[in-house]
Amino acid sequence: MQQKNLLLFLALSALIVAVWVGVNRYLAPQPKEAEVAKNDDSAKPDDSKPKAEDKKADDKKADDKKADDKKGRKKPDEKKADRKTVDPLTADLQHFKPTPINKLLTLGELGDQNHKSRFHLFVKIDPHAAGVHTLTFNKLQAADGLGRPMWLDHEKKTNPMPLELIPASANYNSPSFQTLAYDVKDSRDDRPLDTLARINWEVIGKKEVKTLDDGRRQESVSLQAETQGVIVTKTYTLTEGEYHLGLSVKMRLKDRAAKTVRFRYQMTGAHGLPVEGKWYTSIFRNALIARVDKDGGVSRDLQTLQEISKWAGGNEVLREENTSIVYAGVVNQFFASVIAVDNDQTQRAFLHHARPTLETVLTKGVIVSVAEGGSSFVLKLEKGTEETFYVAENDRHLFRDLPKGRRVAVKHHTGSFSDKAENPEIATDVYAEDAMPAAWVEDITVRVSTEPVELKGDDVVEHKYLLYNGPVKVSQLFPPPGLANKPLEKGGVSPELYDRYHDQLHLNTLTDYHTPGVMGRFANSIYWTALVIKCTNLMHTVLGYIHAIIPSYGLCIIVLTVLVRGMMFPLSRKQALMSMRMQQLAPELKKLQEKHKDDRQALGMAQMELYRKHGVNPFGSCWVLLLQMPIFMGLYFALQESTHFRLAEFWPTWIVNLAAPDMLFGWTQSIPFISRVQDYGSFLYLGPFFNLLPVIAVVLMIAQQKMLTPPPADEQQAMQQKMMKYMMVFFGLMFYKVAAGLCLYFIASSVWGFCERKLLPKKKPVLAEAGPAGEGYFQKLLRRAQGEHVTTAPGVTTANGGITPSVETRVRSGGKRGRNKRRQGQSGGPDDDNVSMLGRWRKRLREWWVNVLKEAEKKHRS
């Protein structure tokens, strides 16, 4: 019965989750195509070019047209490709070359095994567009797309490869955190000009290095550019022991005598965040935007990559009255890159809106033609239309040899380099048609846009940001036990900085917030979300203290399981005893079924009466399982978001990542329906590895079910038990790709259940221990206080197989006190003077308690 309730609980949980997801998808607001076009925040080319450049472009157009006329008529596809190749809108792209490595500006330093840097981050700033080219974690190891650790020396598995949260491979053409200015002459234009993204900003002076009062080193660089008569200065600052880049954006007029200018700008977020464990994770890249009201209440908006891709751009989040946008960022499973408005400034409500945008898309089609040198190519899409894609000079080697007629999947930007109305798409990579699912490749970012800023005379307006780049669970940065005085040693932060991240900047809501949609709001309204968050944070805290004693996180999970199950042992023992009583009632229930086989209502009433007489509650074990659910969910979310479990090995086993499946061995990616990439997303897709721990967990659950379930009394019960076994296999497929740490919890919990079974009485408990039928609560307490309990119940089979009379109830003195009384009666009884003081006090206390219960019973009856 216990196992049956467990399976029922799991089945209902899976059903609730499925309904939850379905309802949320159905009720989630989906923008219309017109709204998406209206809210397009991608950059457009600056039309305010000098006339000489326009004339040069027109001359080039005329020359190209004459050349086409001389060559005669061409095929439509080739003509289209050539015409797009010389399009002046993409002229800058055709000649664009990435900034040389030695021209990049650096902040911080990159530590290694021999040199432990006190900087948590190492950043490279690109003067082109004044954005971030690379951001690397000093104390975190990189993982590959399969979820395994990466090493600089792969053969010896030494010298961990540092993790690039903002990788150079995705930012060499267009860096992160670049600034775009809106047209000052058209306040209604919602698309910024791309002038500042096309030029190299001037570096002001040299990198500034200074030492703060607390001994930490701070480095900063400043870059400057001019657009539409406004000088914009960006200053990046990095300090030891911090997980954020300080960013200051200053604006002033170039001509102090010029009239007042209403200037506003847009800033892009990070893009290219790596996705670890593509084949098993359900979290790729999500966009998070938060607003805070005047009372300090936070409302957070979450939009997933799948939604943004489906909508061709995310929903705009506006700053409403009495609210301000406090952060906007992109997160993957473990890490976040967030634009947060600095709390250390007078005015924080200067952001007008924020919006996620789709930066990189995967498009499938057939190659129609490729321009000479691979500068562009034409792709026939699945819907039958043709599209021209352009290629930057440093990527052309990937496309120049593509044969005509090949089916490919092209990774490309979404027109952020030029006017989207002309549909130019910038290709960056190419794959075989079924080599990459879209969710593995497509990329998003967030764009924040400011309110108009009035600039006049010598006025200088400054906006300050904190570009947070760290764990998505901010509490992971709190100094672990034993390192409170040395938080920087293991990548922690000071308590003051932690408080700033967690509370003042509200970054705790990156994870500690209810799920979107109606169901999420309902769960929050009944405080279920708060309970799960408390349990999750408690799991983090307890595991942190256990890890301070036990270095292996795998053993920490097992110890935590023992602690949780040990605390719940009284409840689970009661649950098991109730299950045994249900087994004893099986013959009686069978008789009732035969007696009332034609009247189901009468059968139900008779069953409930039987349960009541013998003190059995058939639903008594369900609330015990419900009590364990927040703990289970807390551990699940802790494994999903903890950077401590990420790449934590379980020595001496084969497990190298407790936050990923155990991956015992690879069984290739060529098994139909099981491991092929083109089958990704189906229910039967298990991935390229065989995972042993889920199999062990399911086998233990089946064995436990067989142990606890009594033999079927009829065909219906036999069918139910057979369905339970099938359900086990179903759950095994569902949980096949869960984290190894969670499987350890399942296995340890099942082993505990076997041990707990051994602690139960070997003989079947007497059903009437709960007391005679109809006995009240105070009667039970009074009888127990007097040292008596019922040993048999009317008409019930006892442990030795006898049948008691239906009207007889035998009682005896119980416990140690009863045995002492019998011994005293045999010896004539002791003298009161020989009784110890403790014994007299116990006797008086017992007499007082019996009198209290008698008075309570009288009042209860009256």
Side-chain angles (χ1 to χ4, degrees), residues 18-38:
V19 172
W20 189 318
V21 172
V23 170
N24 274 303
R25 288 182 177 177
Y26 178 77
L27 296 178
Q30 299 187 5
K32 299 177 182 178
E33 294 182 3
E35 295 175 343
V36 173
K38 181 180 178 181

Side-chain angles (χ1 to χ4, degrees), residues 20 109 216 227 273 442 484-485 496 538 686 688 778 796 845:
W20 189 318
E109 58 185 359
R216 293 182 300 156
T227 177
L273 271 65
E442 294 184 336
N485 298 325
E496 295 78 15
L538 179 63
L686 304 180
F778 293 105
V796 177
L845 181 63

Side-chain angles (χ1 to χ4, degrees), residues 590-600 602-603:
K590 188 174 181 180
K591 292 179 181 178
L592 291 177
Q593 290 173 356
E594 294 177 354
K595 182 178 179 181
H596 303 284
K597 59 182 179 181
D598 297 328
D599 190 347
R600 299 193 64 84
L603 174 62

Side-chain angles (χ1 to χ4, degrees), residues 246-250 265 340-348 350 462-466 500:
L247 174 60
S248 167
V249 180
K250 293 182 179 179
Y265 65 89
V341 179
D342 194 345
N343 63 309
D344 186 19
Q345 56 188 326
T346 305
Q347 174 61 264
R348 296 183 65 188
F350 53 76
E462 181 182 16
H463 292 164
K464 294 195 292 186
Y465 302 90
L466 264 66
R500 187 181 186 188

Side-chain angles (χ1 to χ4, degrees), residues 530-566:
L531 177 61
V532 173
I533 290 174
K534 289 289 186 184
C535 289
T536 303
N537 294 333
L538 179 63
M539 293 297 106
H540 284 296
T541 303
V542 173
L543 284 166
Y545 281 101
I546 296 175
H547 187 257
I549 303 172
I550 303 174
S552 172
Y553 272 109
L555 293 178
C556 290
I557 293 174
I558 295 174
V559 171
L560 176 67
T561 306
V562 173
L563 289 176
V564 172
R565 293 300 302 267

Side-chain angles (χ1 to χ4, degrees), residues 290-299 322-326 348 506:
R291 294 174 297 189
V292 62
D293 57 31
K294 61 180 181 179
D295 299 324
V298 180
S299 60
N322 297 323
T323 66
S324 59
I325 297 174
V326 290
R348 296 183 65 188
H506 305 287

